[in-house]
Amino acid sequence: EPEVTQTPSHQVTQMGQEVILRCVPISNHLYFYWYRQILGQKVEFLVSFYNNEISEKSEIFDDQFSVERPDGSNFTLKIRSTKLEDSAMYFCASARAEAFFGQGTRLTVV
Amino acid sequence: GESVGLHLPTLSVQEGDNSIINCAYSNSASDYFIWYKQESGKGPQFIIDIRSNMDKRQGQRVTVLLNKTVKHLSLQIAATQPGDSAVYFCAIQAGTYKYIFGTGTRLKVLA
């Protein structure tokens, strides 16, 4: 069964460093998303991507964040100059109709 | 802005009983609704969806009910099993490119 895969599963980074979270969406999907979930809280929308451009983003997704689909398969989330409060689970999702989520990357900023 | 809420943060159910998890939403224009299950340390897993032109949809052991009049969505799980223990989120599609999630209900299945 096709699935969304995310790497790494866990990333620890120093405050102020840049991180890149990687996702391989399901191959025939057209819409791509990043969500985050702070421990014990709900899943929050960050950004959606369609037709090689950002289609919508939340107020969380400020200039610190960027997304890219560098080739036909990968979809990345870059966080520049990480802050302690960026520590969370980051989920990638892709959709053709309903959205399917990856297993997440746990980002810990120390 | 859009909001999605859940009525109970935790629901405890005896194994074999039916579970009902509720969700309220605010935007009457919403037309697509999804229930996700999230097990500890994993990503949300699609369970069932429903569009606004329906008021009920059934899957395997799960039923989703949609009441557009009161903007209420529920997930019913029949014969709840230990493997059903998880956090359940309702999500609504807010425009083509965005899903808004509720705060989640933790379902605990008691043996």
Side-chain angles (χ1 to χ4, degrees):
Chain A
E1 184 176 318
E3 60 180 12
V4 177
T5 56
Q6 290 184 244
T7 55
S9 57
H10 192 185
Q11 173 91 46
V12 181
T13 189
Q14 293 273 346
M15 189 170 56
Q17 295 296 304
E18 174 182 288
V19 295
I20 297 176
L21 309 184
R22 303 181 190 279
C23 172
V24 179
I26 295 173
S27 62
N28 64 346
H29 283 187
L30 303 174
Y31 305 92
F32 312 106
Y33 308 85
W34 282 102
Y35 284 78
R36 80 171 185 192
Q37 186 177 33
I38 295 170
L39 185 63
Q41 298 186 25
K42 68 178 180 180
V43 179
E44 299 176 289
F45 171 78
L46 292 178
V47 66
S48 58
F49 194 86
Y50 171 71
N51 202 26
N52 289 317
E53 61 183 19
I54 290 175
S55 24
E56 192 161 353
K57 59 184 181 180
S58 72
E59 58 275 10
I60 302 168
F61 193 89
D62 59 21
D63 292 343
Q64 180 194 8
F65 295 88
S66 62
V67 290
E68 197 175 39
R69 190 158 156 82
D71 52 43
S73 59
N74 293 288
F75 180 50
T76 63
L77 174 68
K78 183 189 291 185
I79 309 175
R80 287 181 280 276
S81 188
T82 48
K83 304 188 285 268
L84 294 176
E85 54 265 37
D86 294 327
S87 296
M89 284 289 287
Y90 287 81
F91 292 106
C92 172
S94 70
R96 194 170 179 89
E98 69 270 17
F100 290 87
F101 284 75
Q103 295 299 313
T105 292
R106 179 174 298 284
L107 177 65
T108 304
V109 182
V110 297
Chain B
E2 193 59 69
S3 68
V4 182
L6 285 173
H7 291 228
L8 292 173
T10 304
L11 176 67
S12 296
V13 183
Q14 284 293 134
E15 182 179 353
D17 287 352
N18 297 335
S19 304
I20 300 176
I21 301 171
N22 296 304
C23 182
Y25 61 95
S26 59
N27 187 348
S28 56
S30 301
D31 63 2
Y32 183 54
F33 308 85
I34 311 171
W35 280 101
Y36 285 93
K37 172 186 180 182
Q38 187 178 27
E39 295 174 287
S40 181
K42 296 186 178 181
Q45 177 187 1
F46 174 88
I47 303 173
I48 192 168
D49 59 357
I50 189 168
R51 294 204 173 271
S52 60
N53 60 350
M54 303 172 70
D55 52 22
K56 180 178 179 179
R57 190 159 188 232
Q58 288 185 290
Q60 187 177 20
R61 280 202 308 117
V62 294
T63 301
V64 55
L65 298 177
L66 175 62
N67 185 330
K68 295 179 287 295
T69 303
V70 295
K71 290 181 280 189
H72 183 270
L73 188 70
S74 68
L75 176 71
Q76 299 178 1
I77 304 173
T80 313
Q81 302 169 359
D84 295 327
S85 293
V87 178
Y88 290 81
F89 293 95
C90 64
I92 63 170
Q93 190 174 26
T96 306
Y97 306 113
K98 184 172 158 182
Y99 296 85
I100 302 293
F101 280 74
T103 49
T105 292
R106 181 173 299 281
L107 177 65
K108 294 183 179 179
V109 181
L110 308 173

Short mmCIF file of all heavy atoms in Angstrom, two decimals, chain A residues 31 33 35 37 42-43 45 48 50 55-56 91 97-99 101-103, chain B residues 32 36 38 41-44 46 49 89 94 96-99 101-103:
data_model
loop_
_atom_site.label_atom_id
_atom_site.label_comp_id
_atom_site.label_asym_id
_atom_site.label_seq_id
_atom_site.Cartn_x
_atom_site.Cartn_y
_atom_site.Cartn_z
N TYR A 31 -1.59 17.28 -4.09
CA TYR A 31 -1.56 18.31 -3.06
C TYR A 31 -0.64 17.84 -1.94
O TYR A 31 -0.68 16.68 -1.55
CB TYR A 31 -2.97 18.54 -2.49
CG TYR A 31 -4.02 18.87 -3.53
CD1 TYR A 31 -4.78 17.88 -4.12
CD2 TYR A 31 -4.23 20.18 -3.91
CE1 TYR A 31 -5.72 18.17 -5.08
CE2 TYR A 31 -5.18 20.49 -4.87
CZ TYR A 31 -5.92 19.48 -5.45
OH TYR A 31 -6.86 19.78 -6.40
N TYR A 33 1.20 18.87 1.94
CA TYR A 33 0.98 19.68 3.13
C TYR A 33 2.08 19.43 4.14
O TYR A 33 2.64 18.34 4.21
CB TYR A 33 -0.34 19.30 3.81
CG TYR A 33 -1.55 19.29 2.91
CD1 TYR A 33 -1.86 18.16 2.15
CD2 TYR A 33 -2.40 20.38 2.84
CE1 TYR A 33 -2.96 18.14 1.33
CE2 TYR A 33 -3.52 20.36 2.02
CZ TYR A 33 -3.79 19.23 1.27
OH TYR A 33 -4.90 19.21 0.46
N TYR A 35 2.17 19.88 8.40
CA TYR A 35 1.48 20.17 9.65
C TYR A 35 2.48 19.99 10.79
O TYR A 35 3.47 19.28 10.64
CB TYR A 35 0.31 19.21 9.87
CG TYR A 35 -0.91 19.49 9.04
CD1 TYR A 35 -0.97 19.11 7.70
CD2 TYR A 35 -2.02 20.12 9.60
CE1 TYR A 35 -2.11 19.38 6.95
CE2 TYR A 35 -3.15 20.38 8.86
CZ TYR A 35 -3.19 20.00 7.54
OH TYR A 35 -4.31 20.26 6.80
N GLN A 37 2.64 19.30 15.23
CA GLN A 37 1.89 18.96 16.44
C GLN A 37 2.82 19.09 17.63
O GLN A 37 3.75 18.28 17.79
CB GLN A 37 1.33 17.54 16.34
CG GLN A 37 0.43 17.15 17.49
CD GLN A 37 -0.15 15.76 17.32
OE1 GLN A 37 0.49 14.87 16.75
NE2 GLN A 37 -1.37 15.55 17.80
N LYS A 42 -3.13 19.74 19.38
CA LYS A 42 -3.74 19.31 18.14
C LYS A 42 -2.80 19.50 16.97
O LYS A 42 -1.77 20.16 17.06
CB LYS A 42 -5.05 20.04 17.89
CG LYS A 42 -4.91 21.52 17.61
CD LYS A 42 -6.28 22.12 17.33
CE LYS A 42 -6.19 23.60 17.04
NZ LYS A 42 -7.52 24.17 16.77
N VAL A 43 -3.16 18.90 15.87
CA VAL A 43 -2.39 19.01 14.64
C VAL A 43 -2.70 20.36 14.00
O VAL A 43 -3.86 20.68 13.75
CB VAL A 43 -2.76 17.85 13.69
CG1 VAL A 43 -2.00 17.96 12.39
CG2 VAL A 43 -2.51 16.50 14.35
N PHE A 45 -2.14 23.21 10.94
CA PHE A 45 -1.78 23.43 9.56
C PHE A 45 -0.65 24.44 9.45
O PHE A 45 -0.66 25.49 10.09
CB PHE A 45 -3.01 23.94 8.81
CG PHE A 45 -2.75 24.41 7.41
CD1 PHE A 45 -2.60 23.49 6.38
CD2 PHE A 45 -2.65 25.76 7.12
CE1 PHE A 45 -2.37 23.92 5.08
CE2 PHE A 45 -2.43 26.20 5.83
CZ PHE A 45 -2.29 25.28 4.81
N SER A 48 0.27 24.50 2.50
CA SER A 48 -0.10 23.56 1.45
C SER A 48 0.58 23.98 0.15
O SER A 48 0.93 25.15 -0.04
CB SER A 48 -1.61 23.49 1.27
OG SER A 48 -2.13 24.77 0.96
N TYR A 50 0.69 23.20 -4.13
CA TYR A 50 0.02 22.60 -5.29
C TYR A 50 0.56 23.24 -6.54
O TYR A 50 0.78 24.45 -6.58
CB TYR A 50 -1.50 22.81 -5.17
CG TYR A 50 -2.28 22.42 -6.41
CD1 TYR A 50 -2.43 21.08 -6.75
CD2 TYR A 50 -2.86 23.39 -7.24
CE1 TYR A 50 -3.12 20.71 -7.89
CE2 TYR A 50 -3.55 23.03 -8.37
CZ TYR A 50 -3.69 21.69 -8.69
OH TYR A 50 -4.38 21.31 -9.81
N SER A 55 0.04 27.18 -1.95
CA SER A 55 -1.33 27.58 -2.21
C SER A 55 -1.96 28.25 -1.00
O SER A 55 -2.79 29.14 -1.16
CB SER A 55 -2.19 26.40 -2.64
OG SER A 55 -1.68 25.19 -2.20
N GLU A 56 -1.54 27.83 0.18
CA GLU A 56 -2.05 28.49 1.38
C GLU A 56 -1.05 28.27 2.52
O GLU A 56 -0.38 27.25 2.56
CB GLU A 56 -3.42 27.93 1.77
CG GLU A 56 -4.14 28.74 2.82
CD GLU A 56 -5.63 28.47 2.86
OE1 GLU A 56 -6.15 27.74 1.99
OE2 GLU A 56 -6.28 29.00 3.78
N PHE A 91 4.45 16.76 10.49
CA PHE A 91 3.85 15.77 9.62
C PHE A 91 3.72 16.31 8.21
O PHE A 91 3.26 17.42 7.99
CB PHE A 91 2.45 15.38 10.12
CG PHE A 91 2.45 14.64 11.42
CD1 PHE A 91 2.04 15.26 12.58
CD2 PHE A 91 2.86 13.31 11.48
CE1 PHE A 91 2.04 14.58 13.79
CE2 PHE A 91 2.86 12.63 12.68
CZ PHE A 91 2.46 13.26 13.83
N ALA A 97 -7.50 13.07 -3.04
CA ALA A 97 -8.80 13.42 -2.48
C ALA A 97 -8.57 13.59 -0.98
O ALA A 97 -8.21 14.65 -0.53
CB ALA A 97 -9.83 12.36 -2.79
N GLU A 98 -8.70 12.49 -0.20
CA GLU A 98 -8.40 12.60 1.23
C GLU A 98 -6.89 12.66 1.43
O GLU A 98 -6.11 12.17 0.62
CB GLU A 98 -9.01 11.44 2.00
CG GLU A 98 -8.40 10.08 1.74
CD GLU A 98 -9.06 9.34 0.60
OE1 GLU A 98 -9.78 9.98 -0.20
OE2 GLU A 98 -8.86 8.12 0.49
N ALA A 99 -6.49 13.27 2.53
CA ALA A 99 -5.06 13.45 2.83
C ALA A 99 -4.54 12.27 3.63
O ALA A 99 -5.18 11.80 4.57
CB ALA A 99 -4.84 14.74 3.60
N PHE A 101 -1.17 10.94 5.81
CA PHE A 101 -0.09 11.52 6.57
C PHE A 101 1.08 10.55 6.70
O PHE A 101 0.89 9.33 6.76
CB PHE A 101 -0.57 11.89 7.97
CG PHE A 101 -1.40 13.14 8.01
CD1 PHE A 101 -2.71 13.12 7.56
CD2 PHE A 101 -0.87 14.33 8.46
CE1 PHE A 101 -3.49 14.27 7.58
CE2 PHE A 101 -1.64 15.49 8.49
CZ PHE A 101 -2.94 15.46 8.04
N GLY A 102 2.28 11.13 6.77
CA GLY A 102 3.45 10.35 7.12
C GLY A 102 3.51 10.12 8.62
O GLY A 102 2.65 10.58 9.37
N GLN A 103 4.55 9.41 9.05
CA GLN A 103 4.70 9.06 10.45
C GLN A 103 5.31 10.20 11.27
O GLN A 103 5.36 10.13 12.48
CB GLN A 103 5.56 7.81 10.60
CG GLN A 103 4.93 6.57 10.00
CD GLN A 103 3.61 6.23 10.67
OE1 GLN A 103 3.50 6.22 11.90
NE2 GLN A 103 2.59 5.98 9.88
N TYR B 32 -16.48 19.02 3.42
CA TYR B 32 -15.78 17.75 3.45
C TYR B 32 -15.20 17.56 4.83
O TYR B 32 -14.50 18.44 5.34
CB TYR B 32 -14.69 17.73 2.37
CG TYR B 32 -13.94 16.43 2.25
CD1 TYR B 32 -14.59 15.22 2.07
CD2 TYR B 32 -12.56 16.42 2.32
CE1 TYR B 32 -13.89 14.04 1.96
CE2 TYR B 32 -11.84 15.24 2.21
CZ TYR B 32 -12.51 14.04 2.03
OH TYR B 32 -11.83 12.87 1.91
N TYR B 36 -9.68 11.11 11.68
CA TYR B 36 -8.36 10.50 11.73
C TYR B 36 -8.15 9.85 13.09
O TYR B 36 -8.65 10.32 14.10
CB TYR B 36 -7.26 11.54 11.52
CG TYR B 36 -7.10 12.02 10.10
CD1 TYR B 36 -7.76 13.16 9.65
CD2 TYR B 36 -6.27 11.34 9.21
CE1 TYR B 36 -7.61 13.61 8.34
CE2 TYR B 36 -6.11 11.79 7.91
CZ TYR B 36 -6.78 12.91 7.49
OH TYR B 36 -6.63 13.35 6.19
N GLN B 38 -5.02 8.68 15.61
CA GLN B 38 -3.59 8.84 15.84
C GLN B 38 -3.15 8.00 17.02
O GLN B 38 -3.54 8.27 18.17
CB GLN B 38 -3.22 10.30 16.05
CG GLN B 38 -1.71 10.52 16.12
CD GLN B 38 -1.33 11.98 16.27
OE1 GLN B 38 -2.08 12.78 16.82
NE2 GLN B 38 -0.15 12.33 15.79
N GLY B 41 2.91 8.23 18.94
CA GLY B 41 4.15 8.27 18.18
C GLY B 41 3.98 8.10 16.68
O GLY B 41 4.97 7.98 15.95
N LYS B 42 2.73 8.12 16.21
CA LYS B 42 2.49 7.93 14.79
C LYS B 42 1.74 9.11 14.19
O LYS B 42 1.21 9.96 14.91
CB LYS B 42 1.68 6.65 14.56
CG LYS B 42 2.42 5.38 14.98
CD LYS B 42 1.63 4.15 14.59
CE LYS B 42 2.37 2.89 14.95
NZ LYS B 42 1.62 1.66 14.56
N GLY B 43 1.68 9.16 12.89
CA GLY B 43 0.94 10.20 12.22
C GLY B 43 -0.55 9.90 12.18
O GLY B 43 -0.97 8.76 12.40
N PRO B 44 -1.37 10.90 11.90
CA PRO B 44 -2.80 10.67 11.77
C PRO B 44 -3.10 9.68 10.65
O PRO B 44 -2.52 9.76 9.57
CB PRO B 44 -3.35 12.07 11.43
CG PRO B 44 -2.32 13.02 11.93
CD PRO B 44 -1.02 12.33 11.74
N PHE B 46 -6.04 8.03 8.28
CA PHE B 46 -7.39 8.23 7.75
C PHE B 46 -8.30 7.07 8.17
O PHE B 46 -7.94 5.91 8.04
CB PHE B 46 -7.31 8.31 6.23
CG PHE B 46 -8.64 8.37 5.54
CD1 PHE B 46 -9.26 9.57 5.32
CD2 PHE B 46 -9.26 7.21 5.10
CE1 PHE B 46 -10.49 9.64 4.67
CE2 PHE B 46 -10.49 7.25 4.45
CZ PHE B 46 -11.09 8.47 4.24
N ASP B 49 -14.41 9.37 5.76
CA ASP B 49 -14.74 10.74 5.41
C ASP B 49 -16.22 10.84 5.02
O ASP B 49 -16.90 9.84 4.82
CB ASP B 49 -13.84 11.25 4.27
CG ASP B 49 -13.95 10.42 3.00
OD1 ASP B 49 -14.66 9.39 2.98
OD2 ASP B 49 -13.27 10.79 2.01
N PHE B 89 -9.20 12.52 15.84
CA PHE B 89 -9.36 13.91 15.43
C PHE B 89 -10.38 13.99 14.31
O PHE B 89 -10.33 13.19 13.36
CB PHE B 89 -8.04 14.46 14.86
CG PHE B 89 -6.93 14.61 15.85
CD1 PHE B 89 -5.99 13.61 16.01
CD2 PHE B 89 -6.80 15.76 16.61
CE1 PHE B 89 -4.93 13.74 16.91
CE2 PHE B 89 -5.76 15.90 17.51
CZ PHE B 89 -4.83 14.88 17.65
N ALA B 94 -11.01 23.21 4.83
CA ALA B 94 -11.31 24.64 4.82
C ALA B 94 -10.74 25.21 3.53
O ALA B 94 -9.64 25.73 3.51
CB ALA B 94 -10.69 25.30 6.04
N THR B 96 -9.77 24.37 -0.69
CA THR B 96 -9.17 23.24 -1.41
C THR B 96 -7.87 22.78 -0.77
O THR B 96 -7.50 21.61 -0.85
CB THR B 96 -8.89 23.64 -2.87
OG1 THR B 96 -10.08 24.13 -3.44
CG2 THR B 96 -8.39 22.46 -3.68
N TYR B 97 -7.16 23.68 -0.15
CA TYR B 97 -5.77 23.42 0.18
C TYR B 97 -5.47 23.31 1.66
O TYR B 97 -4.33 23.40 2.07
CB TYR B 97 -4.91 24.53 -0.40
CG TYR B 97 -5.13 24.74 -1.89
CD1 TYR B 97 -5.71 25.90 -2.36
CD2 TYR B 97 -4.78 23.76 -2.78
CE1 TYR B 97 -5.92 26.08 -3.71
CE2 TYR B 97 -4.97 23.92 -4.13
CZ TYR B 97 -5.54 25.08 -4.59
OH TYR B 97 -5.75 25.26 -5.92
N LYS B 98 -6.46 23.11 2.48
CA LYS B 98 -6.22 23.17 3.92
C LYS B 98 -7.23 22.33 4.68
O LYS B 98 -8.41 22.35 4.38
CB LYS B 98 -6.35 24.64 4.34
CG LYS B 98 -6.06 24.97 5.76
CD LYS B 98 -6.08 26.50 5.86
CE LYS B 98 -6.32 27.00 7.22
NZ LYS B 98 -6.37 28.47 7.24
N TYR B 99 -6.72 21.57 5.65
CA TYR B 99 -7.57 20.85 6.59
C TYR B 99 -7.35 21.44 7.97
O TYR B 99 -6.22 21.65 8.39
CB TYR B 99 -7.21 19.36 6.61
CG TYR B 99 -7.45 18.64 5.31
CD1 TYR B 99 -6.51 18.65 4.30
CD2 TYR B 99 -8.64 17.95 5.10
CE1 TYR B 99 -6.72 18.00 3.11
CE2 TYR B 99 -8.87 17.29 3.90
CZ TYR B 99 -7.90 17.31 2.91
OH TYR B 99 -8.12 16.66 1.73
N PHE B 101 -7.84 20.75 11.96
CA PHE B 101 -8.06 19.65 12.88
C PHE B 101 -8.68 20.13 14.18
O PHE B 101 -8.40 21.24 14.66
CB PHE B 101 -6.72 18.98 13.20
CG PHE B 101 -6.25 18.03 12.14
CD1 PHE B 101 -5.75 18.51 10.95
CD2 PHE B 101 -6.30 16.66 12.35
CE1 PHE B 101 -5.31 17.63 9.97
CE2 PHE B 101 -5.87 15.78 11.37
CZ PHE B 101 -5.37 16.27 10.18
N GLY B 102 -9.49 19.28 14.77
CA GLY B 102 -9.98 19.51 16.11
C GLY B 102 -8.92 19.17 17.13
O GLY B 102 -7.81 18.73 16.80
N THR B 103 -9.25 19.35 18.39
CA THR B 103 -8.26 19.17 19.46
C THR B 103 -8.06 17.71 19.82
O THR B 103 -7.10 17.37 20.49
CB THR B 103 -8.68 19.95 20.71
OG1 THR B 103 -10.04 19.65 21.02
CG2 THR B 103 -8.54 21.44 20.48
#
